[in-house]
Amino acid sequence: MSSIDDLFKKPNVPSNKRKLEASNDSVNKATKVAANGDVKSNGKYTVEDANNEEDIEAGPALPPNEAEENVDDEEGRFFGGGITNDTADVLNLIDERDKGEDAKAEKMDAAWVRKLALNFERKISKNSELRAKFEDDPQKFMGSEADLDADIKALSILSDHPDLYGDFAKLGCAASLVSLLSHENTDIAIDAIEIINELTDEDVEADQEQWDILVDAMLEADLLNLLYENIARLDEDNEPDRAGVYHVLSVLENLSSRTSVVESLCNDTAFIPWLLQRIQKKEAIVSQNKQYSAEMLAILLQTSPAARLKFIDLNGIDILLQLLSHYRKRDPAKGTEEEEYVENVFDSETCCLDERDGKAKFLEAEGIELCLIMLREGKMSKPRSLRLLDHALSGPDGVACCQKLVEAAGLKPVFSAFMKTQDKQSIEHVLGILSSMLRSLPADSAERIRLLAKFVERDYEKVNRAMKIRREYASKVAAVDQEIEGERQKLSAEEQGYKADEWLSRRLDAGLYSLQTVDVVIAWLVAEDEGVREKVKDLLGERDEGLEVVRGTLEDQLQSINTTTEDSDTIFQDMLATLIEHLRD
């Protein structure tokens, strides 16, 4: 069963696969032949050129169609078709037999794949031979290029038959398709990338084994490095190349469900530096590819610790803070690519703050100060700055960030958010910040004394607020617990085990995490100050409750950590155990 910390200490990255937007541009790559016969195509000959030649009429004009000239002859000498009934029956039988043979020929099975593979390999070989033989004369190989392009696009039908992926891979076609990414004509390479994207897309109804067989074959053919080589050579000023970059990013998203693939991307390619460079590119209006690059970066950083460490080494923390600084007071327009771009930049920064080195770089780059500016003056950036602070201050490595927040006069804006915010996510993050500071600030330090004074001032108004939050979430969680208990009584022990994750998810949706966090805050205050202890007991007494309800929440949390987390935070467990003892009357 998943632990609560795992579920709540990672930002949510959008999981809905985006689609390439149609462009209004009509930019077409074409081979230009000068008067002297020199080819001016930057080494590329487009498939469209070959196809267009088929539309050019040559030779004498065709004779007029007599059938068209006699359209008025409805009851002339050809009335009735000129055939007998017996002849018509014979022709009908022939038509039915031909239809049956066509249906049989189009049956999608292993034999069909073998035929497809043989034809595909022949087209690749023929194009390769002609290109090598007539390297300086594109006219000699343009026809084979068009044929190859048509065969690549025809592979799209396989996405409707994932049960044939295994045959396709075993016949070597998956590797051959990947090899086309190194084709001299980027049109061919882009078409191959687009087909790979279709075959590996999450919308394909392939089971895991079928998908794995295909992807393994492609990875063995050096797919990742070839994808990077293409994204590095494509020029986004041209519409076809811009679409090619999009398809490369889409393939990466398809493959990112595998942690091992993400590790290879980080260790064996330069995709992380490319994505970091791409999201910095200045654009008058944030493009789809810039937004998608930010999204892919967030996905990779969330998936892999190795990706986060490499990104941190590239000075990514500071670069992201510089990008976010443009939005400390300004909001992107709603519903735009820019809005999604900003969200993903925040997500990437948040992921890195779960690493020790990330917290150190964040502190060094004055990330705390920027978050406090956003908290005071921002709109869209305000709740996201709370999330950044929550992650930066969390854990045993967040001590320096906790101290810096107090030193930078951050208590006032944090407590202002604590008293005023009603948003569920923001409340969770504010409670996380307060819990981290109570856990990490050294005893009797000036920073800790200032923090505790905030809870005591104005007749314990912050304590009242904490207790109000507790009551709200305790009520919601209790209602869900009652429903779950009713379901539990009708199930066997084995069935209850299957439902455990679902029940936990429902309790979390009701606010279990916030309830546990606010009770940790309350427990710390009760342990630290006798006046707060009496105030809390009075407020609990209004509902005939005592400190045992807070203690019960902490005991459940400790039990959950002991039973569900293998690599647990022993310091946190010891802290909970100590607080539980302080809550005993």
Side-chain angles (χ1 to χ4, degrees):
M1 186 170 63
S2 303
S3 71
I4 290 173
D5 288 341
D6 290 339
L7 290 170
F8 279 89
K9 281 302 180 183
K10 289 294 182 185
N12 293 323
V13 177
S15 61
N16 293 332
K17 189 72 182 293
R18 60 177 45 252
K19 302 298 180 184
L20 177 62
E21 295 177 355
S23 172
N24 294 326
D25 297 340
S26 57
V27 181
N28 293 312
K29 291 184 290 184
T31 301
K32 299 179 181 179
V33 183
N36 60 4
D38 292 337
V39 179
K40 298 181 179 180
S41 63
N42 295 325
K44 295 183 283 188
Y45 181 83
T46 59
V47 174
E48 286 79 0
D49 295 334
N51 292 334
N52 290 340
E53 293 188 357
E54 297 177 1
D55 297 331
I56 301 175
E57 295 185 1
L62 295 174
N65 190 323
E66 293 182 2
E68 294 178 357
E69 291 181 355
N70 293 284
V71 292
D72 295 330
D73 187 18
E74 295 181 356
E75 297 181 358
R77 60 194 180 93
F78 294 110
F79 177 74
I83 60 174
T84 66
N85 291 335
D86 291 340
T87 304
D89 291 340
V90 172
L91 292 175
N92 289 335
L93 288 173
I94 293 173
D95 288 341
E96 290 177 3
R97 186 190 66 183
D98 290 344
K99 289 179 181 178
E101 290 178 353
D102 290 342
K104 183 177 179 181
E106 293 177 0
K107 182 180 180 181
M108 306 301 180
D109 55 12
W112 176 83
V113 174
R114 287 193 294 272
K115 182 179 178 181
L116 178 75
L118 181 61
N119 189 55
F120 183 51
E121 296 291 350
R122 284 175 177 170
K123 295 294 174 60
I124 294 175
S125 298
K126 181 179 179 181
N127 177 248
S128 179
E129 291 172 3
L130 291 177
R131 265 191 166 273
K133 187 175 181 179
F134 304 106
E135 182 178 0
D136 297 325
D137 189 359
Q139 300 290 339
K140 297 292 181 64
F141 59 76
M142 68 175 66
S144 68
E145 211 115 301
D147 292 340
L148 177 58
D149 178 72
D151 271 33
I152 293 171
K153 293 176 178 177
L155 295 177
S156 175
I157 194 173
L158 280 171
S159 62
D160 295 327
H161 304 277
D163 54 303
L164 300 175
Y165 279 6
D167 296 303
F168 185 73
K170 291 175 183 177
L171 290 168
C173 287
S176 297
L177 179 61
V178 171
S179 71
L180 291 175
L181 271 62
S182 60
H183 199 280
E184 293 90 338
N185 185 344
T186 55
D187 287 340
I188 295 293
I190 291 170
D191 284 344
I193 294 169
E194 185 173 1
I195 292 300
I196 292 172
N197 180 33
E198 289 185 27
L199 297 180
T200 58
D201 193 88
E202 62 181 11
D203 292 336
V204 175
E205 297 180 358
D207 61 38
Q208 191 62 45
E209 182 179 1
Q210 294 166 347
W211 190 87
D212 286 342
I213 290 173
L214 180 65
V215 170
D216 286 341
M218 290 181 172
L219 292 175
E220 289 176 7
D222 204 23
L223 173 62
L224 297 182
N225 279 308
L226 289 173
L227 285 172
Y228 175 72
E229 290 176 6
N230 274 275
I231 207 169
R233 71 168 170 165
L234 295 175
D235 180 8
E236 290 190 68
D237 289 336
N238 298 323
E239 172 56 27
D241 283 16
R242 190 155 59 243
V245 170
Y246 173 89
H247 291 307
V248 171
L249 294 173
S250 189
V251 173
L252 292 183
E253 183 177 1
N254 295 343
L255 301 179
S256 65
S257 58
R258 272 195 188 181
T259 303
S260 59
V261 172
V262 177
E263 301 285 347
S264 296
L265 280 174
C266 300
N267 299 327
D268 304 331
T269 74
F271 267 112
I272 296 291
W274 186 91
L275 290 170
L276 182 58
Q277 177 272 331
R278 183 63 184 85
I279 65 173
Q280 297 178 71
K281 185 177 180 180
K282 293 184 178 180
E283 298 176 345
I285 299 176
V286 174
S287 66
Q288 186 180 25
N289 280 353
K290 182 175 182 178
Q291 194 298 80
Y292 205 179
S293 296
E295 182 177 330
M296 270 312 306
L297 182 60
I299 290 172
L300 296 179
L301 295 178
Q302 184 182 37
T303 304
S304 168
R308 295 194 288 272
L309 293 175
K310 181 167 186 175
F311 183 78
I312 293 168
D313 288 341
L314 293 170
N315 198 34
I317 294 285
D318 189 30
I319 291 173
L320 293 184
L321 287 174
Q322 292 178 37
L323 294 176
L324 291 174
S325 67
H326 298 296
Y327 302 95
R328 61 186 183 276
K329 297 181 181 180
R330 180 179 73 85
D331 287 354
K334 290 187 177 297
T336 62
E337 298 285 356
E338 184 178 15
E339 183 181 35
E340 291 189 50
Y341 165 78
V342 176
E343 288 274 12
N344 285 303
V345 174
F346 269 110
D347 287 341
S348 295
E349 186 81 349
T350 304
C351 288
C352 293
L353 294 183
D354 290 330
E355 301 294 334
R356 175 186 298 177
D357 292 344
K359 295 178 191 294
K361 290 289 186 180
F362 185 74
L363 191 64
E364 180 183 328
E366 299 184 349
I368 299 291
E369 290 86 343
L370 177 60
C371 285
L372 292 176
I373 292 174
M374 292 178 176
L375 198 54
R376 294 187 186 99
E377 304 176 4
K379 293 180 181 179
M380 173 190 175
S381 61
K382 181 175 294 185
R384 291 154 186 83
S385 66
L386 285 173
R387 186 179 61 173
L388 284 177
L389 290 174
D390 185 13
H391 284 255
L393 273 59
S394 66
D397 300 318
V399 176
C401 290
C402 290
Q403 293 174 320
K404 186 63 179 179
L405 185 142
V406 180
E407 293 172 4
L411 290 180
K412 182 176 180 179
V414 167
F415 274 101
S416 176
F418 177 63
M419 297 298 293
K420 296 177 181 178
T421 187
Q422 300 297 323
D423 175 66
K424 179 181 176 181
Q425 293 295 325
S426 295
I427 289 174
E428 288 177 358
H429 294 311
V430 174
L431 291 173
I433 292 168
L434 296 177
S435 176
S436 294
M437 287 195 291
L438 287 167
R439 171 184 174 175
S440 299
L441 291 175
D444 299 326
S445 65
E447 294 85 3
R448 190 175 192 84
I449 293 172
R450 290 172 63 183
L451 173 64
L452 294 174
K454 280 288 184 180
F455 284 100
V456 175
E457 67 182 13
R458 297 182 183 178
D459 196 23
Y460 301 104
E461 66 173 2
K462 277 75 172 186
V463 176
N464 287 329
R465 171 63 173 161
M467 292 299 297
K468 181 180 179 181
I469 293 173
R470 188 196 187 281
R471 288 172 180 170
E472 177 184 346
Y473 285 107
S475 176
K476 293 179 180 179
V477 173
V480 172
D481 285 345
Q482 187 174 359
E483 294 175 2
I484 293 173
E485 185 57 33
E487 297 172 14
R488 190 190 305 275
Q489 293 176 1
K490 301 176 184 178
L491 301 176
S492 65
E494 183 178 359
E495 290 172 328
Q496 290 177 23
Y498 293 140
K499 297 280 286 184
D501 282 343
E502 178 192 333
W503 287 338
L504 175 60
S505 178
R506 286 163 58 184
R507 298 184 77 208
L508 290 171
D509 289 341
L512 177 62
Y513 179 76
S514 292
L515 175 62
Q516 292 177 338
T517 309
V518 75
D519 275 355
V520 168
V521 171
I522 292 170
W524 269 113
L525 297 175
V526 168
E528 292 270 355
D529 188 273
E530 188 63 30
V532 172
R533 185 184 189 91
E534 293 304 316
K535 181 67 174 180
V536 169
K537 290 173 69 174
D538 290 343
L539 292 172
L540 289 171
E542 293 176 0
R543 297 193 175 188
D544 296 325
E545 296 174 335
L547 292 175
E548 67 275 1
V549 295
V550 179
R551 186 175 69 245
T553 303
L554 270 57
E555 288 173 342
D556 289 344
Q557 186 177 3
L558 181 58
Q559 178 65 22
S560 174
I561 294 173
N562 289 335
T563 58
T564 64
T565 310
E566 295 179 1
D567 185 21
S568 57
D569 182 351
T570 55
I571 298 177
F572 184 66
Q573 289 174 286
D574 292 341
M575 180 201 76
L576 287 177
T578 302
L579 291 176
I580 288 170
E581 290 303 315
H582 279 285
L583 290 170
R584 299 188 188 278
D585 289 327

Coordinates of all heavy atoms in Angstrom, one line a residue, residues 135-198:
E135 N 23.9 9.3 -56.1 CA 24.0 10.3 -55.0 C 23.8 11.7 -55.4 O 23.1 12.5 -54.8 CB 25.3 10.1 -54.3 CG 25.5 11.0 -53.1 CD 26.8 10.8 -52.4 OE1 27.5 9.9 -52.8 OE2 27.0 11.5 -51.4
D136 N 24.3 12.0 -56.6 CA 24.2 13.4 -57.1 C 23.1 13.7 -58.1 O 23.0 14.7 -58.7 CB 25.6 13.8 -57.8 CG 26.7 13.7 -56.8 OD1 26.5 14.0 -55.6 OD2 27.8 13.3 -57.3
D137 N 22.2 12.7 -58.2 CA 21.1 12.8 -59.2 C 19.8 12.4 -58.5 O 19.4 11.3 -58.7 CB 21.4 12.0 -60.4 CG 20.4 12.3 -61.5 OD1 19.4 13.1 -61.3 OD2 20.5 11.7 -62.6
P138 N 19.2 13.3 -57.7 CA 17.9 12.9 -57.0 C 16.8 12.4 -57.9 O 16.0 11.6 -57.5 CB 17.5 14.2 -56.3 CG 18.8 15.0 -56.3 CD 19.6 14.7 -57.5
Q139 N 16.8 12.8 -59.2 CA 15.8 12.4 -60.1 C 15.8 10.8 -60.2 O 14.7 10.2 -60.5 CB 16.0 13.0 -61.5 CG 16.0 14.5 -61.5 CD 14.6 15.1 -61.3 OE1 13.6 14.4 -61.4 NE2 14.5 16.3 -60.8
K140 N 16.9 10.2 -60.0 CA 17.0 8.8 -60.2 C 16.5 8.0 -59.0 O 16.2 6.8 -59.1 CB 18.5 8.4 -60.4 CG 19.1 9.0 -61.7 CD 18.4 8.4 -63.0 CE 19.0 8.9 -64.2 NZ 20.5 8.6 -64.4
F141 N 16.4 8.6 -57.8 CA 16.0 7.8 -56.6 C 14.7 8.4 -56.0 O 14.2 7.9 -55.0 CB 17.0 7.7 -55.6 CG 17.5 9.1 -55.0 CD1 16.8 9.8 -54.1 CD2 18.8 9.5 -55.4 CE1 17.3 11.0 -53.6 CE2 19.3 10.7 -54.8 CZ 18.5 11.5 -54.0
M142 N 14.1 9.5 -56.7 CA 12.9 10.1 -56.1 C 11.7 9.1 -56.1 O 10.9 9.1 -55.2 CB 12.6 11.4 -56.8 CG 12.1 11.1 -58.3 SD 11.5 12.6 -59.1 CE 13.1 13.5 -59.2
G143 N 11.6 8.3 -57.1 CA 10.5 7.3 -57.1 C 10.6 6.3 -56.0 O 9.5 6.0 -55.3
S144 N 11.8 5.8 -55.7 CA 11.9 4.9 -54.6 C 11.6 5.5 -53.3 O 11.2 4.9 -52.3 CB 13.3 4.2 -54.7 OG 14.3 5.2 -54.3
E145 N 12.0 6.8 -53.2 CA 11.7 7.5 -52.0 C 10.2 7.7 -51.7 O 9.7 7.5 -50.6 CB 12.4 8.9 -52.0 CG 12.8 9.4 -50.7 CD 14.4 9.6 -50.7 OE1 15.1 8.6 -50.8 OE2 14.8 10.7 -50.4
A146 N 9.5 8.0 -52.7 CA 8.0 8.1 -52.6 C 7.4 6.7 -52.2 O 6.5 6.7 -51.4 CB 7.4 8.6 -53.9
D147 N 7.9 5.6 -52.8 CA 7.4 4.3 -52.5 C 7.7 4.0 -51.0 O 6.8 3.4 -50.3 CB 8.1 3.3 -53.4 CG 7.6 3.4 -54.8 OD1 6.5 4.0 -55.1 OD2 8.3 2.9 -55.7
L148 N 8.9 4.3 -50.6 CA 9.3 4.0 -49.2 C 8.4 4.8 -48.2 O 7.9 4.3 -47.2 CB 10.7 4.4 -49.0 CG 11.3 4.2 -47.5 CD1 11.1 2.8 -47.0 CD2 12.8 4.6 -47.5
D149 N 8.2 6.1 -48.6 CA 7.3 7.0 -47.7 C 5.9 6.4 -47.6 O 5.3 6.3 -46.5 CB 7.2 8.3 -48.4 CG 6.4 9.3 -47.6 OD1 6.8 9.7 -46.5 OD2 5.2 9.6 -48.0
A150 N 5.4 5.9 -48.7 CA 4.0 5.3 -48.7 C 4.0 4.0 -47.8 O 3.1 3.8 -47.0 CB 3.6 4.9 -50.1
D151 N 5.1 3.2 -47.9 CA 5.1 2.0 -47.1 C 5.3 2.3 -45.6 O 4.7 1.6 -44.7 CB 6.3 1.1 -47.5 CG 5.8 0.2 -48.6 OD1 5.0 0.6 -49.4 OD2 6.4 -1.0 -48.7
I152 N 6.0 3.4 -45.2 CA 6.1 3.8 -43.8 C 4.8 4.2 -43.3 O 4.3 3.7 -42.2 CB 7.1 5.0 -43.7 CG1 8.5 4.5 -44.1 CG2 7.1 5.5 -42.3 CD1 9.5 5.7 -44.1
K153 N 4.1 5.0 -44.0 CA 2.7 5.5 -43.6 C 1.7 4.3 -43.5 O 0.8 4.3 -42.6 CB 2.2 6.6 -44.5 CG 3.0 7.8 -44.4 CD 2.6 8.9 -45.4 CE 3.4 10.2 -45.3 NZ 3.0 11.2 -46.3
A154 N 1.9 3.3 -44.3 CA 1.0 2.2 -44.3 C 1.1 1.3 -43.0 O 0.2 0.6 -42.6 CB 1.3 1.3 -45.5
L155 N 2.3 1.5 -42.3 CA 2.5 0.7 -41.1 C 1.5 1.2 -40.0 O 1.4 0.5 -38.9 CB 3.9 0.9 -40.6 CG 5.0 0.3 -41.5 CD1 6.4 0.5 -40.9 CD2 4.8 -1.2 -41.7
S156 N 0.9 2.3 -40.2 CA 0.0 2.9 -39.2 C -1.1 1.9 -38.8 O -1.6 1.9 -37.7 CB -0.6 4.2 -39.7 OG -1.6 4.7 -38.8
I157 N -1.5 1.0 -39.8 CA -2.6 0.1 -39.5 C -2.2 -0.9 -38.4 O -3.1 -1.5 -37.8 CB -2.9 -0.7 -40.8 CG1 -4.3 -1.4 -40.7 CG2 -1.8 -1.7 -41.2 CD1 -4.7 -2.0 -42.0
L158 N -1.0 -1.1 -38.2 CA -0.6 -2.0 -37.1 C -1.1 -1.6 -35.7 O -1.3 -2.4 -34.8 CB 1.0 -2.1 -37.0 CG 1.6 -3.1 -38.1 CD1 3.1 -2.9 -38.0 CD2 1.2 -4.5 -37.8
S159 N -1.3 -0.3 -35.5 CA -1.7 0.2 -34.2 C -3.1 -0.3 -33.9 O -3.6 -0.3 -32.8 CB -1.7 1.8 -34.2 OG -2.6 2.3 -35.2
D160 N -3.9 -0.8 -35.0 CA -5.2 -1.4 -34.7 C -5.1 -2.9 -34.5 O -6.1 -3.5 -34.2 CB -6.1 -1.1 -36.0 CG -6.4 0.3 -36.2 OD1 -6.5 1.1 -35.2 OD2 -6.5 0.8 -37.3
H161 N -3.9 -3.4 -34.6 CA -3.7 -4.8 -34.4 C -2.4 -5.1 -33.5 O -1.4 -5.7 -34.0 CB -3.5 -5.5 -35.8 CG -4.7 -5.3 -36.7 ND1 -5.8 -6.0 -36.6 CD2 -4.9 -4.4 -37.7 CE1 -6.7 -5.6 -37.5 NE2 -6.1 -4.6 -38.2
P162 N -2.4 -4.7 -32.3 CA -1.3 -4.8 -31.4 C -0.9 -6.3 -31.2 O 0.2 -6.6 -30.8 CB -1.7 -4.1 -30.1 CG -3.2 -4.1 -30.1 CD -3.5 -4.0 -31.6
D163 N -1.8 -7.2 -31.5 CA -1.5 -8.6 -31.3 C -0.4 -9.1 -32.3 O 0.2 -10.1 -32.1 CB -2.8 -9.5 -31.5 CG -3.5 -9.2 -32.8 OD1 -3.8 -8.0 -33.1 OD2 -3.6 -10.1 -33.6
L164 N -0.2 -8.2 -33.3 CA 0.8 -8.5 -34.3 C 2.2 -7.9 -34.0 O 3.1 -8.0 -34.8 CB 0.3 -8.1 -35.7 CG -0.9 -8.8 -36.2 CD1 -1.4 -8.2 -37.5 CD2 -0.8 -10.3 -36.3
Y165 N 2.3 -7.1 -32.9 CA 3.5 -6.4 -32.6 C 4.7 -7.4 -32.5 O 5.8 -7.2 -32.9 CB 3.4 -5.7 -31.3 CG 2.7 -4.3 -31.4 CD1 2.1 -3.9 -32.6 CD2 2.6 -3.5 -30.3 CE1 1.5 -2.7 -32.8 CE2 2.0 -2.2 -30.4 CZ 1.4 -1.8 -31.6 OH 0.8 -0.6 -31.8
G166 N 4.4 -8.6 -31.9 CA 5.5 -9.6 -31.7 C 6.0 -10.0 -33.0 O 7.3 -10.1 -33.1
D167 N 5.2 -10.4 -33.9 CA 5.6 -10.8 -35.3 C 6.4 -9.7 -36.0 O 7.4 -9.9 -36.6 CB 4.4 -11.2 -36.1 CG 3.7 -12.5 -35.5 OD1 4.4 -13.5 -35.4 OD2 2.5 -12.4 -35.3
F168 N 5.9 -8.5 -35.9 CA 6.5 -7.3 -36.5 C 7.9 -7.1 -36.0 O 8.9 -6.9 -36.7 CB 5.7 -6.1 -36.2 CG 6.2 -4.8 -36.9 CD1 6.0 -4.7 -38.3 CD2 6.8 -3.8 -36.2 CE1 6.4 -3.5 -38.9 CE2 7.2 -2.7 -36.8 CZ 7.0 -2.5 -38.2
A169 N 8.1 -7.3 -34.6 CA 9.4 -7.2 -34.0 C 10.4 -8.3 -34.4 O 11.5 -8.1 -34.7 CB 9.3 -7.0 -32.5
K170 N 9.8 -9.5 -34.3 CA 10.7 -10.7 -34.6 C 11.2 -10.7 -36.0 O 12.3 -11.3 -36.3 CB 9.9 -12.0 -34.3 CG 9.6 -12.2 -32.8 CD 8.7 -13.4 -32.6 CE 8.4 -13.6 -31.1 NZ 7.5 -14.7 -30.9
L171 N 10.4 -10.2 -37.0 CA 10.8 -10.2 -38.4 C 11.9 -9.1 -38.6 O 12.3 -8.9 -39.8 CB 9.6 -10.0 -39.2 CG 8.6 -11.1 -39.3 CD1 7.3 -10.7 -40.0 CD2 9.3 -12.3 -40.1
G172 N 12.2 -8.3 -37.6 CA 13.2 -7.2 -37.8 C 12.7 -5.9 -38.3 O 13.5 -5.0 -38.5
C173 N 11.4 -5.8 -38.5 CA 10.8 -4.6 -39.0 C 10.9 -3.4 -38.1 O 11.0 -2.3 -38.5 CB 9.3 -4.9 -39.5 SG 9.2 -5.8 -40.9
A174 N 10.7 -3.7 -36.8 CA 10.8 -2.7 -35.8 C 12.2 -2.0 -35.8 O 12.3 -0.8 -35.8 CB 10.5 -3.2 -34.4
A175 N 13.2 -2.8 -35.9 CA 14.6 -2.3 -36.0 C 14.8 -1.6 -37.3 O 15.4 -0.5 -37.4 CB 15.6 -3.5 -35.9
S176 N 14.2 -2.1 -38.4 CA 14.3 -1.4 -39.7 C 13.6 0.0 -39.7 O 14.1 0.9 -40.2 CB 13.7 -2.3 -40.8 OG 14.4 -3.5 -41.0
L177 N 12.5 0.0 -39.0 CA 11.8 1.3 -38.9 C 12.6 2.3 -38.2 O 12.7 3.4 -38.5 CB 10.4 1.0 -38.2 CG 9.5 2.3 -38.0 CD1 9.2 2.9 -39.3 CD2 8.3 1.9 -37.2
V178 N 13.2 1.8 -37.1 CA 14.1 2.7 -36.3 C 15.3 3.2 -37.1 O 15.7 4.4 -37.0 CB 14.5 2.0 -35.0 CG1 15.6 2.9 -34.3 CG2 13.3 1.8 -34.1
S179 N 15.8 2.3 -37.9 CA 17.0 2.7 -38.7 C 16.7 3.8 -39.7 O 17.6 4.6 -40.0 CB 17.5 1.5 -39.5 OG 16.6 1.1 -40.6
L180 N 15.4 4.0 -40.1 CA 15.1 5.1 -41.0 C 15.2 6.5 -40.3 O 15.1 7.5 -41.0 CB 13.7 4.9 -41.5 CG 13.5 3.7 -42.5 CD1 12.0 3.5 -42.8 CD2 14.3 3.9 -43.7
L181 N 15.3 6.5 -39.0 CA 15.5 7.8 -38.3 C 16.9 8.4 -38.7 O 17.1 9.6 -38.5 CB 15.5 7.6 -36.8 CG 14.1 7.8 -36.2 CD1 13.1 6.7 -36.7 CD2 14.2 7.7 -34.6
S182 N 17.8 7.6 -39.3 CA 19.1 8.2 -39.7 C 19.1 8.4 -41.2 O 20.1 8.7 -41.8 CB 20.2 7.2 -39.4 OG 20.0 5.9 -40.0
H183 N 17.9 8.4 -41.8 CA 17.8 8.6 -43.3 C 18.2 10.0 -43.6 O 18.0 11.0 -42.9 CB 16.4 8.4 -43.8 CG 16.2 8.1 -45.2 ND1 16.2 9.1 -46.1 CD2 16.1 7.0 -46.0 CE1 16.1 8.7 -47.4 NE2 16.0 7.3 -47.3
E184 N 18.9 10.2 -44.8 CA 19.3 11.5 -45.2 C 18.2 12.5 -45.4 O 18.3 13.7 -45.2 CB 20.1 11.4 -46.5 CG 21.4 10.7 -46.4 CD 21.3 9.2 -46.6 OE1 20.1 8.7 -46.5 OE2 22.3 8.5 -46.9
N185 N 17.1 12.0 -45.8 CA 15.9 12.8 -46.1 C 15.1 12.9 -44.8 O 14.5 12.0 -44.3 CB 15.0 12.2 -47.2 CG 13.8 13.1 -47.5 OD1 13.5 14.0 -46.8 ND2 13.2 12.8 -48.7
T186 N 15.1 14.1 -44.2 CA 14.4 14.3 -42.9 C 12.9 14.0 -43.0 O 12.2 13.7 -42.0 CB 14.6 15.7 -42.3 OG1 14.2 16.7 -43.2 CG2 16.1 15.9 -41.9
D187 N 12.3 14.1 -44.2 CA 10.9 13.8 -44.4 C 10.7 12.3 -44.0 O 9.7 12.0 -43.4 CB 10.4 14.1 -45.8 CG 10.3 15.6 -46.1 OD1 10.2 16.3 -45.1 OD2 10.3 16.0 -47.3
I188 N 11.5 11.5 -44.5 CA 11.4 10.0 -44.3 C 11.6 9.8 -42.8 O 10.9 9.0 -42.2 CB 12.5 9.3 -45.1 CG1 12.2 9.4 -46.6 CG2 12.5 7.8 -44.7 CD1 10.9 8.7 -47.0
A189 N 12.6 10.4 -42.2 CA 12.9 10.2 -40.7 C 11.7 10.7 -39.9 O 11.3 10.0 -38.9 CB 14.1 11.0 -40.3
I190 N 11.1 11.8 -40.3 CA 10.0 12.3 -39.5 C 8.8 11.4 -39.6 O 8.0 11.1 -38.6 CB 9.6 13.8 -40.0 CG1 10.7 14.7 -39.5 CG2 8.3 14.2 -39.4 CD1 10.6 16.1 -40.1
D191 N 8.5 10.9 -40.8 CA 7.4 9.9 -41.0 C 7.6 8.7 -40.1 O 6.7 8.1 -39.6 CB 7.3 9.5 -42.5 CG 6.7 10.6 -43.3 OD1 6.1 11.5 -42.8 OD2 6.8 10.5 -44.6
A192 N 8.9 8.2 -40.1 CA 9.2 7.0 -39.2 C 8.9 7.3 -37.8 O 8.4 6.5 -37.0 CB 10.6 6.6 -39.5
I193 N 9.3 8.5 -37.3 CA 9.1 8.9 -35.9 C 7.6 9.0 -35.6 O 7.2 8.6 -34.6 CB 9.8 10.3 -35.6 CG1 11.3 10.1 -35.7 CG2 9.4 10.8 -34.3 CD1 12.0 11.5 -35.7
E194 N 6.9 9.5 -36.6 CA 5.4 9.6 -36.4 C 4.8 8.3 -36.2 O 3.9 8.1 -35.4 CB 4.8 10.4 -37.5 CG 3.3 10.7 -37.3 CD 2.7 11.6 -38.4 OE1 3.5 12.0 -39.3 OE2 1.5 11.9 -38.3
I195 N 5.2 7.3 -37.0 CA 4.7 5.9 -37.0 C 5.1 5.3 -35.6 O 4.2 4.6 -35.0 CB 5.1 5.1 -38.1 CG1 4.5 5.6 -39.4 CG2 4.8 3.6 -37.9 CD1 3.0 5.6 -39.5
I196 N 6.3 5.5 -35.2 CA 6.7 5.0 -33.9 C 5.9 5.5 -32.8 O 5.5 4.8 -31.9 CB 8.2 5.3 -33.7 CG1 9.1 4.5 -34.6 CG2 8.6 5.0 -32.2 CD1 10.6 4.8 -34.6
N197 N 5.5 6.8 -32.9 CA 4.7 7.5 -31.9 C 3.3 6.8 -31.9 O 2.7 6.5 -30.9 CB 4.6 8.9 -32.3 CG 3.7 9.7 -31.3 OD1 3.6 9.4 -30.1 ND2 3.0 10.7 -31.8
E198 N 2.7 6.5 -33.1 CA 1.4 5.9 -33.2 C 1.4 4.5 -32.6 O 0.5 4.1 -31.9 CB 1.0 5.9 -34.6 CG 0.6 7.2 -35.2 CD 0.0 7.1 -36.6 OE1 -0.6 6.0 -36.9 OE2 0.1 8.0 -37.4

